[in-house]
Amino acid sequence: MTAAPGGSETVTRAFRVAYDGREYAGFQRQPHARTVADELLEALAEHGLVERGDGSTHATPPGYAAAGRTDAGVSAVAQTVAFEAPTWLTPRAFNGHLPGSVRVWAAADVEDGFHATHDAVRRTYRYHLYAPAADAAGADGPAASARRDPEHAIDDDRFRAALARFDGERDFHNLTTDETGTVRDLDARATREGDALVVELSADGFPRALVRRVVAAVRAVGRGTADLAWIDRLLAAEPVSGRRGVGPAPPEPLVLWDVAYPDASFAVDREAAESARVAFGERHRDARHAAAATGAVRDRLCSAIDGE
């Protein structure tokens, strides 16, 4: 523990940050675009901890780093930022100058020299894929969803067989634009939750857009528009480009779910976590209201078609 100018004591503190990424151009600061990092640094400026800047020119506190650089539209529940902070900067204090779309909810005091990027040993993402089961029985629920949205219907067995191809240590050079760091030991699994398949991918690190390209490839097999041989081709040593490659799935269903550090024990700030739960509950409610309206229009059109 050290003393900051003005006499306040400081520690190296890591914060867990949840955010709704749909309205941001990603996490990392960039010119002429609003990012999650901008919100965090602006809050620190409001607290008088860093000099205020403009856009990507905000100053950062000593030791500042983040666990990952999520893309535009991607959300998080356990993004982690760490820096030298005054002891009074708790999650609830941090939230005092943050919008409802960005909430800090836990913290851990860590050793000096801790680096939120380099000290992470495991990162986990979850992709919430809308994928009604193609073989579901019954007139309501998933079967009805598959009938209304046949282009999104998924054969679960094909989907899981394709996902299993990505499990283990692989060279993912055909599934990212990165030229280095493409060999990763990936844990891949999927859980059905109603009309959704929740795809969970964990590794020590992820090349650019790897998660979304894996989801897109597996979805193509689950829909029957590609086969397992294509997955094997994507994982082969030979480059794949052009129309035989795979583009990334949309970013909005993706969440940075967890980041593991061997020597950090995060304490949940109950007041901050509750404020985050309320804020995200309101955003979820608003999204469901919008979805209900568009779903009603879709259902009316389905009825009109069936009635012909």
Side-chain angles (χ1 to χ4, degrees):
M1 188 175 295
T2 60
S8 62
E9 294 181 327
T10 65
V11 294
T12 302
R13 182 164 288 169
F15 296 91
R16 294 290 205 196
V17 185
Y19 51 84
D20 181 348
R22 292 175 299 170
E23 61 192 64
Y24 295 104
F27 179 84
Q28 186 182 19
R29 292 179 295 167
Q30 51 188 287
H32 314 302
R34 194 67 177 166
T35 69
V36 178
D38 288 328
E39 301 285 12
L40 296 173
L41 294 172
E42 188 168 300
L44 295 180
E46 290 286 343
H47 281 299
L49 299 179
V50 298
E51 294 182 3
R52 184 179 300 279
D54 181 20
S56 61
T57 64
H58 265 298
T60 57
Y64 175 86
R69 302 175 178 181
T70 55
D71 292 336
V74 175
S75 297
V77 68
Q79 173 69 281
T80 305
V81 296
F83 51 88
E84 187 178 308
T87 54
W88 57 259
L89 188 65
T90 61
R92 74 190 72 175
F94 209 146
N95 285 340
H97 291 297
L98 286 172
S101 55
V102 181
R103 298 275 93 184
V104 180
W105 58 275
D109 289 351
V110 292
E111 295 292 329
D112 291 345
F114 176 90
H115 196 283
T117 309
H118 304 319
D119 290 343
V121 296
R122 204 75 178 163
R123 294 170 174 83
T124 300
Y125 284 87
R126 287 186 178 180
Y127 194 98
H128 297 76
L129 179 67
Y130 175 65
D135 59 350
D140 298 318
S145 296
R147 181 181 63 82
R148 289 191 296 260
D149 296 320
E151 68 274 20
H152 293 109
I154 292 290
D155 182 303
D156 281 26
D157 291 339
R158 288 176 58 89
F159 187 94
R160 294 179 193 281
L163 186 61
R165 291 289 211 275
F166 293 106
D167 194 69
E169 185 172 292
R170 305 282 188 272
D171 188 340
F172 296 101
H173 67 101
N174 282 321
L175 292 152
T176 179
T177 56
D178 289 355
E179 296 182 354
T180 61
T182 60
V183 177
R184 298 289 176 175
D185 187 2
L186 192 67
D187 289 332
R189 59 182 56 86
T191 304
R192 176 161 287 285
E193 296 183 2
D195 280 348
L197 279 167
V198 181
V199 182
E200 182 175 290
L201 301 178
S202 298
D204 59 344
F206 286 89
R208 190 181 306 272
L210 176 62
V211 174
R212 293 196 285 136
R213 282 191 165 93
V214 167
V215 170
V218 174
R219 177 176 178 266
V221 175
R223 289 179 57 200
T225 59
D227 56 22
L228 292 176
W230 179 59
I231 301 295
D232 295 336
R233 178 71 183 86
L234 293 173
L235 292 170
E238 295 78 13
V240 174
S241 59
R243 63 183 181 84
R244 298 194 65 189
V246 56
E252 289 79 10
L254 182 59
V255 180
L256 175 56
W257 194 254
D258 192 31
V259 183
Y261 298 94
D263 299 318
S265 179
F266 286 88
V268 174
D269 183 322
R270 293 183 64 86
E271 181 179 312
E274 174 62 16
S275 76
R277 184 195 66 78
V278 171
F280 278 81
E282 292 174 351
R283 300 178 79 82
H284 179 63
R285 178 202 63 207
D286 292 345
R288 287 180 65 90
H289 284 172
T294 54
V297 173
R298 176 204 59 193
D299 292 348
R300 176 71 182 275
L301 294 171
C302 284
S303 298
I305 293 169
D306 291 343
E308 289 184 350

